[in-house]
Amino acid sequence: NNLVEKIFLLDTNNTDIIEYDSQSAVSAVKKDLNERTLGIVEDGIPSGIATLDEQIRCFYYSLFTIIIGRPGHGKTTLMINCFLNNLLADYKPVFFSLEMPTVHLLVKIISIMTKVKTNKIMSPKLLNADEKVKVKDALIELSNHEFYIVDAVSMNTSECARYLSKYVRKGCKIAYLDYIQLLKLANNKIPLDASEFRQISKDIRETLRKVNRQGNMALVVGAQAGRTVETRNIEDRIPTQRDLEWTSALEQDAATII
């Protein structure tokens, strides 16, 4: 009998698939609308930058937002600014840094907080007395908030999924990934063609949906603009969706592209 059950019965413990009948579906909508009326439901996490939030409203739970930019044009800085706003608002953000070491990341955050240039913070002897106090106060302020940094020289999509699951259980509401083209496939292969890039995008989308069964989390990923943007006239070099590498997969899976 046990063998028959194993062969013929569905595994109802599979949390990747949830079934609704008409009554439970309607009840779920009623509950959601009621909670929205009471102001209980959050759709996502604001960036903390007023002009940006006016355009996108928030970074939505269960979905990922892409920040696209040419190298050296500020996409990481924008992500760090949003990360800082989120940690000061106690959303417990986590930053996956695949390019920048943790110390450099925190120095950039301190520079934003204090308005002291990063090169001076990295060379403390250059700081004047007032700047030293500002840097010290910024470090104290950061230590009073909960945030996480995952400093990875290399990471594949399976490892990314495990870490996202870990941090959503810690109550983290938003994660930042800098940047998506540095992620490897689950088998640690570096993606080379469009089909492999699509697989990474698909893995991220599915991971985020699974993670949001455990708790609410939004994901913001940085993405390099393709080099074709450099060939255009100078006035036409602001990146658009067509400049995303492996663009079709990212356009289909992302909620918002900035």
Side-chain angles (χ1 to χ4, degrees), residues 161-216:
R162 288 198 295 272
Y163 278 104
L164 286 173
S165 180
K166 171 184 176 179
Y167 286 108
V168 78
R169 291 197 300 269
K170 286 179 175 287
C172 299
K173 296 292 187 181
I174 186 166
Y176 293 83
L177 173 64
D178 187 33
Y179 53 93
I180 193 169
Q181 283 100 330
L182 293 179
L183 268 184
K184 296 180 180 178
L185 294 160
N187 61 4
N188 277 325
K189 185 177 185 295
I190 297 173
L192 297 175
D193 57 41
S195 64
E196 291 174 335
F197 287 132
R198 279 196 295 270
Q199 185 62 50
I200 285 182
S201 184
K202 177 175 176 288
D203 287 347
I204 291 175
R205 184 193 68 223
E206 292 181 357
T207 291
L208 199 55
R209 290 203 64 189
K210 290 178 182 178
V211 163
N212 275 267
R213 297 279 172 87
Q214 304 171 53
N216 290 328

Side-chain angles (χ1 to χ4, degrees), residues 97 119 124 188:
S97 184
N119 66 319
N188 277 325

Side-chain angles (χ1 to χ4, degrees), residues 129-185:
D130 182 54
E131 290 170 337
K132 288 179 180 178
V133 171
K134 288 181 178 179
V135 171
K136 181 180 178 181
D137 288 346
L139 287 168
I140 293 172
E141 175 71 12
L142 288 173
S143 68
N144 289 331
H145 296 276
E146 187 175 349
F147 65 92
Y148 301 92
I149 297 172
V150 179
D151 186 338
V153 175
S154 174
M155 179 177 285
N156 63 39
T157 54
S158 294
E159 291 167 334
C160 184
R162 288 198 295 272
Y163 278 104
L164 286 173
S165 180
K166 171 184 176 179
Y167 286 108
V168 78
R169 291 197 300 269
K170 286 179 175 287
C172 299
K173 296 292 187 181
I174 186 166
Y176 293 83
L177 173 64
D178 187 33
Y179 53 93
I180 193 169
Q181 283 100 330
L182 293 179
L183 268 184
K184 296 180 180 178
L185 294 160

Side-chain angles (χ1 to χ4, degrees), residues 26-44:
V26 170
S27 295
V29 173
K30 286 181 178 179
K31 180 176 181 292
D32 181 82
L33 293 177
N34 184 53
E35 289 177 348
R36 287 177 185 277
T37 302
L38 298 174
I40 298 173
V41 171
E42 290 181 333
D43 286 323

Side-chain angles (χ1 to χ4, degrees), residues 80-140:
I80 290 173
N81 271 275
C82 296
F83 177 78
L84 173 59
N85 293 336
N86 294 159
L87 77 85
L88 294 176
D90 293 321
Y91 288 118
K92 302 181 182 179
V94 55
F95 199 102
F96 291 78
S97 184
L98 306 186
E99 186 175 42
M100 186 182 299
T102 297
V103 170
H104 291 182
L105 179 62
L106 283 174
V107 165
K108 285 182 74 73
I109 290 173
I110 293 168
S111 177
I112 293 167
M113 295 174 72
T114 61
K115 304 298 188 290
V116 178
K117 292 182 178 180
T118 56
N119 66 319
K120 295 189 73 174
I121 298 173
M122 294 291 284
S123 303
K125 291 182 180 180
L126 299 178
L127 296 171
N128 60 40
D130 182 54
E131 290 170 337
K132 288 179 180 178
V133 171
K134 288 181 178 179
V135 171
K136 181 180 178 181
D137 288 346
L139 287 168
I140 293 172

Side-chain angles (χ1 to χ4, degrees), residues 224-237:
Q224 295 278 27
R227 290 293 180 182
T228 55
V229 69
E230 307 288 348
T231 64
R232 299 202 296 266
N233 293 330
I234 190 69
E235 65 273 8
D236 191 34
R237 289 189 182 180

